[in-house]
Amino acid sequence: MTFSPRCYTCDQEARFGALPPREKIAFDDHWRVAHAIDTALPGWLVLVPRRHVTTVAALNDTEAFTLGLWQVRLSRALRETTACLKTYVAQFSERRGFGHVHFHIVPRASDLPREFRGPGVFGLLGRTGADAVPFDTMNELAAKLGDIL
Ligand SMILES: [Zn+2]
């Protein structure tokens, strides 16, 4: 695997064996699934390629073929574990230190407040302290999702 320094995702990948459940909910040779950090929304997942890629156009064909399967499987698993109405799928990789391609797979609850629907859901990222999902909750969800996946 090739890693890039000063990349959050590559830093995590470099210590794969020591990662907590919330950072490796599921994985194969090409993709790893983690719970998003600093989010107020339990079940907000990120799907990351296991090598440093900063644009979707740089994914190889195998990564491209498996990407769709992962997105749909994760959406099904989130529906089963969170009873969400549907999932949002988005990819930007614009935040400093987070240029590594990552697909947000976000459970959209039927009662999600209107201001957080659509792109507004990103208002539930960047949360810290008591506003953020606790690591224990992320690890519990990781176990449930892992059983399904
Ligand atoms: Zn990276």
Side-chain angles (χ1 to χ4, degrees):
M1 299 283 175
T2 53
F3 304 123
S4 175
R6 295 164 58 191
C7 167
Y8 176 83
T9 304
C10 285
D11 286 349
Q12 296 295 84
E13 192 64 30
R15 57 188 201 94
F16 181 83
L19 291 177
R22 62 186 165 77
E23 284 288 345
K24 53 178 177 186
I25 293 169
F27 58 90
D28 63 12
D29 290 344
H30 310 288
W31 297 95
R32 176 169 57 86
V33 182
H35 197 289
I37 55 171
D38 298 344
T39 180
L41 185 59
W44 186 315
L45 304 180
V46 286
L47 175 64
V48 298
R50 298 193 64 188
R51 64 186 180 97
H52 190 72
V53 174
T54 58
T55 170
V56 172
L59 294 172
N60 65 38
D61 285 353
T62 304
E63 290 162 337
F65 287 134
T66 51
L67 171 62
L69 273 177
W70 273 113
Q71 290 180 343
V72 174
R73 285 178 181 159
L74 292 173
S75 295
R76 289 175 182 153
L78 282 172
R79 187 175 59 191
E80 196 171 327
T81 53
T82 71
C84 60
L85 188 65
K86 59 182 175 181
T87 51
Y88 295 149
V89 179
Q91 198 296 126
F92 302 105
S93 306
E94 294 283 6
R95 193 168 144 199
R96 187 177 179 83
F98 293 85
H100 191 122
V101 161
H102 56 284
F103 290 87
H104 297 269
I105 316 286
V106 185
R108 196 289 219 185
S110 58
D111 62 350
L112 184 69
R114 190 159 294 283
E115 70 265 30
F116 295 125
R117 293 183 188 175
V121 79
F122 281 86
L124 295 171
L125 268 190
R127 303 297 187 91
T128 55
D131 268 0
V133 178
F135 285 163
D136 286 349
T137 303
M138 293 181 186
N139 285 327
E140 287 165 18
L141 261 170
K144 288 180 188 169
L145 289 163
D147 285 347
I148 295 167
L149 295 163

